[in-house]
Amino acid sequence: MSHEVPSRPAIAELPELVKNQIAAGEVIERPASVVKELVENALDAGAARIHLDLEEGGVALIRIVDDGGGIPPAEIPLAFASHATSKLSDVADLDHIATLGFRGEALASIASVARCRMFSRLRGAPLGASVEIEGGRLGEIRESGGPEGTRVEVRDLFFNTPARRRFLKTTATELGRALDIVQRLALAQPGVGFVVTHDGRRAFEVEPAMDLRARVRRTFGAELADALAPVEARDGDTVLSGFVAPPRFARNDTTRQMWFLNGRPLRDKILARVLKDAYRGFIVDGRQAVAFLSLAMDPAKVDVNVHPAKAEVRFRDERRMFGFLVASLRGAVSALDMATPGERMIDSAARRDGPAPLARQFTLPAPAWQLQPEPRPRELPVFVRESAPAEATPATGAAASPASSEPAAAPRPTPVRGPLLQVGRTYILVANDDGFEIVDQHALHERLTLEDLKAELARGAVEVQRRLVPELVEVGGAAAELVEPHLESLARIGLLLARFGSGTIAVHGAPARFRRADPSALVHEVIAAVERTGGAPGAEDLLEEILHRTACRSSVMAGDELSELEMRALLSRARDESNAQTCAHGRPTRVRFTLADLEKAFYRR
Ligand code: ADP
Ligand code: MG
């Protein structure tokens, strides 16, 4: 018997260079990935100042200079060898990684796809050493002078792997990604200074002493930085700290949700979920909160070795962690000031219409002949200043001025003693000590209805209005099928539904608060909610979802003319309700104009 053996190449070990290029494929995708690895190395070396020069978005050159501990000349060749590291020596060390790097692969990978040069001088040593390495070939180690610390130059990235090079985007895009990496690391590591230049021009800088808020200001601007509210919480030796931003800063993406674990920026699904839960009901659907949060914890309680880029982690006790984080953040988030500041609207109006403030002209002393007392115009109630500010906030009990007795970040309560004015059957104008607020009566009432329903639900006492004759709602077989397993949970929230024939739902009763709810609309809300949550029967999620949707439908305040008394009642209820700053769908319930805003709007300053 003879077999036709097709000719095949023999199995052979790959040359070192090729191995490293394959490894580089995993972690070195673009200049930003080189930047990340090099900055992490500098941070692991204990640098207090890191200087980065980029050319052509980092493709032509990435040069990093740090003032960290340095490398002894004899170890420089090892730094470029794959799987060689000073951060890990046996497998047990993997359980408690406290450095950003540990795989010992970055420099070897980078050196296999670029022309590199390194100079390093150990702290305290009289001299340092330098070496060149190109396409994986290490040159001679030369003793030479230079500052303590390490300098690495990476030129012509992917010069020998053209396929990779073709995937690079424009200079602006590559620079943007590299800057994004540096900025994240700079936010993760207060205490370390960063300077980045691009083609000789300064692109980013933070000084070592700048704290997290100052770094956010430098990176994303003062408006966001000034609005942040601090978070501080502890569970055993796990410490959560950082800032949450008011809902109005929410975005369409999660790029400004930054989590840092022991100084390492993370992108983690669990942490994204934590923020979703913490902001639930305060943010409009589909928008993403902005927050900058650091977790300090025992490295043994988290596994960072799940992903080559080390951006994801696994917490050893995930449930506990999740509960701790959501509870701590929820507290901080509900204390945020959520009113839309009028100042922003004035700013955008001014930008549209152009004229520069004429402040100086207005502050000139008026000529004497203009000082004749004019007949007092009839005052518009909304602009009247209140005369007795202390009494306006009986809830605080103290006679102290309300502004100073409040913690800095807490929302100012809406005073309800001043004059009220309803506008367009939709908005209520409320004068307060420092300006006025515009309250969206519908949004506010919707929130209050939701909170009432939740409270009734928590007491197990939802007040139900039963119908003498059930209303039949045609929904089709599939939808009826979908709702059927949830009938019991729905009854708990006061929705008495029953299946009637194959494609019909009979409405026997609804919560008394849903005075206006049209039974058919109600049933369709239920179907939509079940579809959206896809929930397990009885899931709290489903209940909450339906509450959210139906609270909106049942609000009696949409387009209603309100008496002064009704307005007052609505507003004073809002003061006692901690969630009343947003409607059930996360839209703000009020816009605030301070006197300062008004002065700005009238170009008085
Ligand atoms: P890793 O960071 O995973 O250990 P790298 O390939 O990035 O692997 O670096 C290899 C080793 O080179 C590090 O373990 C460290 O000892 C040394 N090294 C690299 N960069 C620096 C630096 N900037 N300062 C001091 N030592 C460095
Ligand atoms: Mg490294």
Side-chain angles (χ1 to χ4, degrees):
M1 246 178 13
S2 86
H3 287 285
E4 272 295 296
V5 180
S7 82
R8 61 175 278 280
I11 299 176
E13 191 156 338
L14 290 170
E16 193 66 16
L17 175 63
V18 179
K19 280 191 205 166
N20 289 338
Q21 286 178 340
I22 290 172
E26 264 185 65
V27 282
I28 307 300
E29 244 186 311
R30 52 183 3 111
S33 7
V34 176
V35 166
K36 171 174 182 287
E37 296 296 337
L38 296 180
V39 173
E40 287 186 354
N41 280 348
L43 292 168
D44 281 345
R49 286 176 189 274
I50 295 172
H51 190 111
L52 258 173
D53 295 311
L54 307 176
E55 284 172 17
E56 289 173 32
V59 181
L61 170 74
I62 298 168
R63 181 195 301 118
I64 179 168
V65 180
D66 70 55
D67 60 355
I71 309 175
E75 286 182 25
I76 287 180
L78 272 176
F80 285 99
S82 64
H83 305 295
T85 177
S86 58
K87 301 168 191 175
L88 190 71
S89 57
D90 62 48
V91 69
D93 290 344
L94 264 180
D95 285 345
H96 49 83
I97 288 166
T99 49
L100 296 168
F102 56 86
R103 297 161 54 95
E105 272 187 315
L107 288 181
S109 298
I110 294 167
S112 73
V113 293
R115 305 182 219 272
C116 298
R117 221 187 272 171
M118 175 188 269
F119 165 84
S120 193
R121 178 175 149 204
L122 208 57
R123 207 170 277 157
L127 277 178
S130 63
V131 69
E132 287 182 26
I133 174 166
E134 189 172 318
R137 259 190 317 278
L138 192 74
E140 212 182 303
I141 313 278
R142 288 172 214 273
E143 217 176 44
S144 72
E148 288 178 354
T150 304
R151 181 178 71 232
V152 179
E153 282 177 19
V154 178
R155 285 178 196 276
D156 302 329
L157 186 61
F158 302 137
F159 78 100
N160 56 354
T161 50
R164 260 293 144 103
R165 194 163 178 133
R166 271 196 296 277
F167 275 102
L168 294 180
K169 301 281 193 308
T170 62
T171 297
T173 305
E174 296 301 340
L175 171 65
R177 297 197 188 194
L179 279 176
D180 183 65
I181 295 280
V182 179
Q183 287 168 344
R184 270 171 198 273
L185 284 161
L187 290 164
Q189 302 264 344
V192 180
F194 290 80
V195 174
V196 184
T197 73
H198 183 249
D199 293 341
R201 268 193 290 274
R202 193 148 292 202
F204 179 67
E205 175 172 13
V206 292
E207 292 85 54
M210 284 166 71
D211 62 10
L212 180 57
R213 195 194 287 269
R215 285 169 191 239
V216 170
R217 180 174 292 113
R218 182 60 60 78
T219 313
F220 301 118
E223 193 191 348
L224 172 60
D226 294 340
L228 295 175
V231 181
E232 281 289 351
R234 169 186 289 272
D235 178 24
D237 54 5
T238 300
V239 179
L240 170 70
S241 64
F243 295 100
V244 288
R248 65 176 191 276
F249 290 95
R251 304 165 60 85
N252 290 331
D253 56 44
T254 54
T255 51
R256 289 194 193 165
Q257 279 181 9
M258 301 205 186
W259 285 92
F260 313 115
L261 172 75
N262 296 337
R264 176 197 304 280
L266 294 181
R267 281 193 179 282
D268 197 278
K269 284 192 211 77
I270 301 175
L271 298 177
R273 256 204 303 135
V274 163
L275 277 171
K276 215 176 183 63
D277 274 20
Y279 277 89
R280 195 189 193 125
F282 295 126
I283 277 191
V284 185
D285 258 355
R287 303 277 289 172
Q288 308 292 336
V290 171
F292 305 90
L293 297 161
S294 285
L295 273 171
M297 62 188 294
D298 179 354
K301 289 194 178 147
V302 57
D303 186 0
V304 294
N305 186 27
V306 236
H307 188 264
K310 295 163 286 191
E312 285 168 35
V313 296
R314 204 162 289 146
F315 297 107
R316 302 252 192 263
D317 191 348
E318 192 177 300
R319 281 179 68 95
R320 183 185 174 119
M321 187 57 131
F322 192 85
F324 160 63
L325 294 176
V326 171
S328 324
L329 290 172
R330 185 96 194 149
V333 168
S334 45
L336 282 164
D337 185 351
M338 297 185 192
T340 301
E343 187 195 349
R344 280 175 82 224
M345 297 162 59
I346 293 167
D347 277 351
S348 54
R351 246 177 270 126
R352 259 201 311 279
D353 304 335
L358 303 170
R360 226 130 283 133
Q361 299 183 18
F362 282 101
T363 52
L364 284 175
W369 44 265
Q370 275 188 2
L371 293 177
Q372 304 288 334
E374 295 208 2
R376 256 171 91 79
R378 248 163 47 99
E379 282 170 319
L380 274 176
V382 282
F383 293 104
V384 171
R385 287 193 75 155
E386 271 193 59
S387 49
E391 286 164 84
T393 54
T396 63
S401 108
S404 63
S405 64
E406 292 283 315
R412 280 171 277 178
T414 304
V416 289
R417 290 196 59 231
L420 301 173
L421 186 69
Q422 193 188 24
V423 178
R425 296 186 172 190
T426 307
Y427 304 104
I428 305 172
L429 300 195
V430 191
N432 58 31
D433 302 333
D434 186 38
F436 67 94
E437 290 183 354
I438 308 171
V439 176
D440 179 333
Q441 65 185 42
H442 173 51
L444 177 58
H445 189 254
E446 182 185 316
R447 164 60 80 181
L448 296 177
T449 306
L450 173 65
E451 297 301 329
D452 283 344
L453 280 169
K454 277 200 208 163
E456 285 183 4
L457 180 62
R459 287 199 307 272
V462 179
E463 202 186 316
V464 177
Q465 182 144 36
R466 285 178 186 275
R467 307 179 71 88
L468 288 175
V469 183
E471 172 104 8
L472 299 182
V473 182
E474 200 79 51
V475 294
E481 200 84 4
L482 203 63
V483 174
E484 185 146 26
H486 301 289
L487 293 179
E488 210 169 300
S489 344
L490 292 167
R492 275 182 52 211
I493 61 169
L495 275 173
L496 308 184
L497 309 182
R499 183 117 181 231
F500 186 85
S502 71
T504 302
I505 301 277
V507 182
H508 288 275
R513 294 193 178 277
F514 293 5
R515 254 167 299 177
R516 276 191 186 174
D518 157 31
S520 153
L522 215 54
V523 168
H524 285 104
E525 291 288 3
V526 168
I527 294 166
V530 173
E531 276 171 347
R532 264 167 52 116
T533 43
E540 289 297 318
D541 273 356
L542 175 60
L543 299 182
E544 181 122 322
E545 177 83 9
I546 293 169
L547 285 184
H548 270 241
R549 290 170 157 262
T550 46
C552 174
R553 295 278 164 178
S554 64
S555 280
V556 297
M557 296 292 182
D560 280 5
E561 195 156 336
L562 299 183
S563 72
E564 171 112 11
L565 214 65
E566 286 169 315
M567 290 192 270
R568 233 168 258 292
L570 185 65
L571 294 174
S572 50
R573 277 223 39 219
R575 274 199 346 174
D576 304 331
E577 175 50 62
S578 65
N579 289 331
Q581 294 199 77
T582 58
C583 81
H585 303 90
R587 291 187 295 270
T589 54
R590 31 186 181 136
V591 170
R592 177 185 311 126
F593 286 85
T594 61
L595 291 176
D597 294 335
L598 294 174
E599 281 172 11
K600 207 159 156 186
F602 288 108
Y603 304 147
R604 281 166 168 273
R605 53 169 212 177

